């Protein structure tokens, strides 16, 4: 069952659904801790990863003469380093751009079509009525999230009050559950239309994972 109270700060597919998030951050995404400053990658590691210590250096117009493959600690590093080898062995052989494009299309199209479905429009109307009873006038949850008053860096008291009312009304009318159900229905219909392509995409993913397992098995203990 869809848990509308679950804390999912990165998932706004159905608008804001986390009560605690609404109380603290309003519609703003939670502030994440600043990661510790990364240390500079040393030349040896860069050489292993990319086959050169300057992988991002701009390339001139003239084609430089081929350089001998670098050697580190007595071992020759293949052209392009581990990054190119990983692409050649794991990514490129199993890439299926047409399938990936269809999967992405289904993801976006099902969501877009669900917002036009009568069942979702009806639950939007119930949500809007609930919000109005709390003193807020929005036609859809997306309108509340896009309110220009809430787009600045600071989180105002008004934003928090609006966000809490938003979540409360979503829970009251079961908006996430209805929307999820309708969108899932749209997805299933599109999946049936593109079953052959998606089956092939799944097969390519399985083969890629098998290739990863094989690489890990051969490198274990090295």
């Amino acid at each position: 069952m869809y848990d509308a109270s679950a804390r999912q700060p990165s998932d706004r597919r159905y608008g804001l659904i986390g009560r605690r998030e609404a109380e603290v951050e309003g519609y703003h995404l939670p502030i994440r801790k600043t990661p510790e400053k990364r240390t500079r990658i040393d030349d040896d590691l860069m050489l292993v990863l990319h086959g050169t210590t300057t992988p991002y250096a701009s390339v001139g117009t003239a084609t430089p003469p081929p350089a001998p493959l670098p050697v580190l600690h007595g071992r020759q590093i293949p052209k392009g380093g581990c990054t190119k080898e990983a692409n050649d062995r794991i990514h490129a052989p199993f890439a299926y751009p047409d399938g990936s494009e269809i999967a992405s299309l289904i993801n976006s199209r099902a969501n877009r079509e669900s917002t036009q479905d009568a069942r979702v429009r009806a639950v939007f109307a119930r949500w809007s009525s609930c919000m109005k009873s709390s003193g807020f006038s929005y036609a859809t949850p997306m309108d509340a999230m896009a309110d220009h008053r809430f787009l600045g860096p600071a989180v105002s008291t008004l934003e928090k009050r609006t966000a809490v009312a938003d979540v409360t009304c979503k829970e009251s009318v079961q908006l996430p559950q209805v929307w999820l159900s309708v969108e899932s229905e749209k997805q299933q219909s599109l999946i049936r239309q593109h079953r052959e392509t998606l089956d092939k995409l799944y097969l390519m993913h399985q083969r890629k994972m098998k290739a990863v397992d094989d690489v890990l098995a051969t490198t274990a203990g090295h």
Side-chain angles (χ1 to χ4, degrees), residues 2-211:
Y2 192 94
D3 182 1
S5 66
R7 182 173 174 79
Q8 301 179 37
S10 62
D11 184 1
R12 300 289 179 91
R13 193 172 186 86
Y14 305 124
L16 181 64
I17 58 175
R19 179 172 295 276
R20 178 60 179 163
E21 192 179 339
E23 292 171 344
V24 176
E25 290 109 0
Y27 290 104
H28 282 65
L29 290 173
I31 298 175
R32 303 188 185 280
K33 291 179 65 177
T34 303
E36 295 182 9
K37 186 176 180 180
R38 292 184 176 179
T39 57
R40 177 180 171 273
I41 297 179
D42 64 38
D43 288 345
D44 285 356
L45 181 55
M46 191 69 75
L47 195 63
V48 171
L49 286 174
H50 302 287
T52 173
T53 57
T54 56
Y56 310 115
S58 58
V59 179
T61 53
T63 303
L69 293 176
V71 175
L72 181 67
H73 303 314
R75 297 186 64 178
Q76 191 175 67
I77 297 172
K79 183 178 180 180
C82 293
T83 301
K84 183 178 186 302
E85 185 176 0
N87 180 73
D88 291 346
R89 294 180 61 182
I90 295 174
H91 176 68
F94 310 106
Y96 183 33
D98 289 348
S100 298
E101 184 177 352
I102 288 296
S104 179
L105 174 68
I106 290 173
N107 178 56
S108 58
R109 182 176 168 184
N111 184 257
R112 183 174 64 253
E113 290 183 356
S114 69
T115 64
Q116 303 304 315
D117 187 279
R119 292 163 291 180
V120 173
R121 302 305 295 184
V123 82
F124 281 176
R126 294 196 296 275
W127 172 89
S128 179
S129 177
C130 176
M131 288 292 283
K132 191 164 292 186
S133 68
S134 298
F136 305 103
S137 181
Y138 299 103
T140 73
M142 293 82 79
D143 296 332
M145 288 183 63
D147 192 321
H148 68 91
R149 295 173 297 176
F150 308 149
L151 300 181
V155 181
S156 66
T157 301
L158 174 61
E159 179 181 347
K160 293 178 184 178
R161 286 178 46 237
T162 306
V164 169
D166 179 356
V167 172
T168 301
C169 287
K170 281 192 178 85
E171 293 172 350
S172 174
V173 302
Q174 295 190 313
L175 187 149
Q177 293 91 329
V178 172
W179 197 350
L180 173 65
S181 175
V182 172
E183 184 175 3
S184 296
E185 183 182 296
K186 305 289 183 184
Q187 289 174 341
Q188 290 302 317
S189 175
L190 291 167
I191 287 170
R192 286 192 293 272
Q193 293 176 38
H194 300 281
R195 171 62 68 186
E196 184 176 346
T197 299
L198 294 174
D199 283 347
K200 181 178 177 181
L201 179 63
Y202 175 76
L203 177 62
M204 299 306 282
H205 279 310
Q206 293 297 102
R207 289 177 176 173
K208 180 184 290 187
M209 294 309 300
K210 175 63 167 57

